[in-house]
């Protein structure tokens, strides 16, 4: 039931040494906000209009799931979508299995949204998603009264039976995961009374912001020991709103780092979201000496956005503060590539969550760096990359992407600045988050070749 089928044949691609990147580009809409817009629109009464929706595989699968549950989801024009929701608790059982493809966010948030509605749904996904732990979301959803069945190890396919008489809960999310936090917040919407979800480490807050915008009763309290508690009052009445999705900083990361690495480059990336829970990469690159300016900072659709101006830079290795990791959790593949071109070593720790992303990302990064002549030490929760200086990375290797879009894009960027092209075994999965990647990068001057 995948909305727009990803071709099953691998598509190997080469990133080739490129001339200076020049020009201005606008990155696609934020993936996290796109998923949440569709889900909350589907739970609200009245019309939600979304502009700038990310039209990528992951998000299209969420749109399809929201439709299968009874909401009306219509693409009106490129990037412009309307959702007519059913009201909280109004979803009906889907007729078919819900297939989320590669999308951890879509599937885990939808588990939360369904957990307090009396219906049964089966969740599945591609070979990558079927290896990812679902117990971290399902176990706490049980507190609301939901029941479930999984494959051994808490894997998909998962059958989830939403609670007929949900209870409000108090739950402390034990890991730095916005997906788990968000699933619990969405489930709270149809439980009577107030649920309290807390987390020691702050993670992206798009669900909280959007719940407030849709009219939910929500409060955020700081915890004395650090972190915060979020209180959501259930049997909520959400009302449709207008949402303008800002540019995705996690997609911007690829042209951004490419411009820092390819000599002579100077580019502008328009209207990139600057939510502080998402800007860890910018802070890290600035500490590494990146020539990076933010101009025209403004509010757009409830988020801070700004234009990024990047010029090729001589980077130096640093120790990335582990406390910053949640604010750049998706950016480690491309940061590791930047570190390979830096002077000196870059130390990255506190990365245990990378082991349960679209691939074991830590292992995939380390293998990709080694395949291209970069020395790197791997530990259970981190890596130390020995930088080779600007232009110093040999390249010439082939990288196994393990169905992981960010591994594919990061190593294609490496090839633009390395001595020899870098091949990725399969670029297909880039369509899950950034279908226009090749076109946008090509427009700035990046060279790719079929491998
Ligand atoms: C996301 C949260 C993060 C991130 C993912 C998107 C979200 O996952 O890696 O790409 O939209 O909530 P975790 O919650 O597993 O850290």
């Amino acid at each position: 039931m995948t909305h727009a089928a990803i071709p099953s044949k691998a598509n190997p691609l080469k990133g080739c040494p490129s001339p200076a990147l020049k020009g201005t580009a606008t990155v696609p809409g934020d993936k996290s906000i796109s998923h949440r817009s569709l889900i909350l629109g589907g739970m609200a009464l009245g019309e939600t209009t979304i502009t700038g929706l990310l039209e990528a595989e992951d998000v299209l699968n969420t749109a399809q799931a929201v439709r299968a549950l009874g909401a009306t989801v219509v693409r009106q024009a490129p990037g412009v979508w309307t959702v007519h929701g059913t009201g909280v608790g109004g979803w009906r059982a889907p007729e078919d299995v819900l297939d989320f493809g590669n999308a951890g966010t879509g599937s885990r948030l939808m588990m939360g949204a369904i957990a307090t509605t009396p219906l049964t749904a089966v969740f599945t996904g591609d070979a990558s998603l079927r290896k990812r732990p679902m117990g971290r979301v399902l176990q706490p959803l049980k507190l609301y009264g939901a029941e479930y069945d999984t494959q051994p190890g808490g894997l998909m396919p998962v059958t989830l039976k939403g609670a007929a008489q949900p209870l409000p809960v108090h739950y402390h999310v034990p890991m730095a995961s916005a997906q788990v936090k968000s699933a619990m917040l969405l489930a709270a919407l149809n439980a009577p009374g107030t649920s309290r979800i807390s987390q020691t480490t702050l993670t992206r807050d798009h669900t909280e912001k959007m719940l407030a915008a849709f009219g939910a009763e929500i409060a955020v309290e700081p915890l004395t020991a650090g972190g915060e508690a979020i209180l959501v009052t259930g049997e909520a009445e959400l009302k449709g709103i207008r949402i303008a999705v800002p540019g995705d900083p996690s997609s911007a990361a690829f042209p951004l780092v490419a411009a820092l690495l390819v000599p002579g480059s100077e580019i502008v990336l328009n209207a990139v979201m600057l939510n502080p829970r998402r800007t860890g990469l910018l802070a890290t690159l600035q500490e590494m000496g990146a020539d990076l300016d933010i101009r025209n900072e403004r509010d757009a659709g409830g988020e801070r956005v700004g234009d990024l101006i990047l010029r090729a830079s001589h980077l130096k290795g640093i120790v990335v503060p582990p406390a910053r990791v949640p604010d750049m959790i998706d950016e480690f593949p491309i940061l590791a590539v930047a570190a390979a071109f830096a002077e000196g070593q870059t130390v990255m720790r506190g990365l245990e969550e990378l082991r349960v992303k679209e691939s074991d990302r830590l292992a995939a990064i380390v293998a990709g760096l080694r395949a291209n002549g970069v020395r790197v030490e791997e530990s259970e929760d981190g890596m130390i990359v020995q930088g080779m200086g600007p232009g110093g990375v040999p390249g010439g290797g082939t990288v196994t992407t393990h169905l992981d879009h960010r591994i594919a894009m990061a190593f294609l960027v490496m090839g633009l600045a390395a001595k020899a092209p870098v091949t990725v075994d399969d670029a297909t999965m880039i369509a899950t988050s950034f279908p226009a990647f090749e076109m946008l990068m090509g427009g700035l001057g990046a060279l790719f070749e079929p491998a």
Side-chain angles (χ1 to χ4, degrees), residues 26-31 33-35 37 49-56 59 77-81 243-248:
T26 304
V27 297
D30 186 67
K31 182 148 76 78
I33 293 185
S34 294
H35 283 300
S37 305
T49 305
I50 310 165
T51 54
L53 187 88
L54 170 66
E55 294 178 336
V59 175
V80 182
W81 291 59
I243 300 170
V245 182
D248 194 328

Side-chain angles (χ1 to χ4, degrees), residues 31-32 36 105 108-109 132 136 176-180 182 204 329-330 353 357-358 361 406:
K31 182 148 76 78
S32 293
R36 287 159 172 81
T105 306
R108 289 178 173 144
L109 267 54
R132 298 180 68 185
R136 52 173 50 201
S177 167
Q179 292 177 0
V180 177
S182 298
R204 66 191 70 194
I329 190 64
D330 290 335
E353 280 292 311
K357 294 295 175 193
E358 285 82 333
R361 242 179 215 168
R406 298 199 202 281

Side-chain angles (χ1 to χ4, degrees), residues 29-30 50 95 112 120 142 161 200 213 240 242 255 263 282 318 354:
D30 186 67
I50 310 165
E95 282 169 13
T120 299
K142 232 170 134 169
K161 187 165 174 246
T200 309
R242 298 182 74 83
L282 299 185
I318 61 160
L354 292 198

Side-chain angles (χ1 to χ4, degrees), residues 383-405:
M383 63 187 146
I384 302 177
V385 176
Q386 302 298 334
M388 308 189 84
V393 172
T398 296
V399 177
T400 309
T401 49
H402 300 284
L403 295 176
D404 189 331
H405 55 131

Side-chain angles (χ1 to χ4, degrees), residues 29-308:
D30 186 67
K31 182 148 76 78
S32 293
I33 293 185
S34 294
H35 283 300
R36 287 159 172 81
S37 305
L38 291 166
I39 296 171
L40 283 171
M43 297 175 92
L45 283 173
E47 182 171 283
T48 292
T49 305
I50 310 165
T51 54
L53 187 88
L54 170 66
E55 294 178 336
E57 289 298 328
D58 278 10
V59 175
L60 297 180
N61 285 325
T62 294
Q64 187 57 27
V66 171
R67 235 179 236 137
L69 290 157
T72 307
V73 183
V74 180
R75 182 180 194 253
Q76 304 287 357
V80 182
W81 291 59
T82 52
V83 184
H84 286 91
T86 59
V88 170
W91 283 352
R92 57 164 156 73
E95 282 169 13
D96 205 344
V97 168
L98 303 177
D99 186 344
F100 287 89
N102 196 247
T105 306
S107 56
R108 289 178 173 144
L109 267 54
M110 287 296 284
M111 286 178 188
I114 284 177
T116 48
T117 298
L119 63 86
T120 299
V122 178
F123 290 70
T124 194
D126 69 7
S128 154
L129 192 56
R130 280 186 274 112
K131 283 189 204 144
R132 298 180 68 185
M134 295 297 144
R136 52 173 50 201
V137 175
L138 292 168
Q139 277 164 19
L141 289 175
K142 232 170 134 169
L143 301 172
Y144 284 107
E147 292 170 36
Y148 62 87
D149 246 329
T150 70
Q151 305 310 301
L155 303 183
M156 283 181 170
V158 163
T159 303
L160 178 63
K161 187 165 174 246
Q165 287 176 318
L167 303 165
V169 310
H170 281 201
Y171 183 69
H172 186 76
V173 180
M175 68 285 282
S177 167
Q179 292 177 0
V180 177
K181 173 182 70 175
S182 298
M184 292 301 282
L185 295 176
L186 293 173
L189 290 172
N190 201 35
T194 299
S195 293
R196 183 178 188 276
I197 310 302
S198 57
Q199 201 166 37
T200 309
T201 313
L202 299 184
T203 56
R204 66 191 70 194
D205 57 0
H206 308 305
T207 307
E208 294 90 308
K209 285 179 139 178
M210 213 179 274
L211 279 171
F214 272 93
E217 215 179 308
I218 176 167
V220 180
E221 293 173 354
L223 299 177
T224 38
E228 58 191 25
I230 302 146
L231 294 101
V232 173
T233 302
E235 301 188 315
E237 276 184 36
L238 304 185
K239 284 205 191 65
I241 56 170
R242 298 182 74 83
I243 300 170
V245 182
D248 194 328
S250 299
S251 296
F254 299 103
L256 187 168
V257 169
L260 298 179
L261 300 183
V262 177
S265 297
E266 176 164 2
I267 69 163
V268 179
L269 297 172
N270 282 328
V272 178
M273 178 166 60
L274 298 172
N275 179 309
R277 300 277 71 82
R278 301 288 300 280
T279 49
L281 179 73
L282 299 185
T284 301
L285 290 170
Q286 276 167 332
E287 282 172 21
M288 293 173 80
D291 187 345
L292 185 173
D293 283 326
I294 303 173
R295 286 210 203 127
N296 197 12
E297 260 198 67
R298 57 213 186 259
D299 280 321
E303 292 285 359
R304 234 27 218 159
V305 301
D307 305 331
L308 307 183

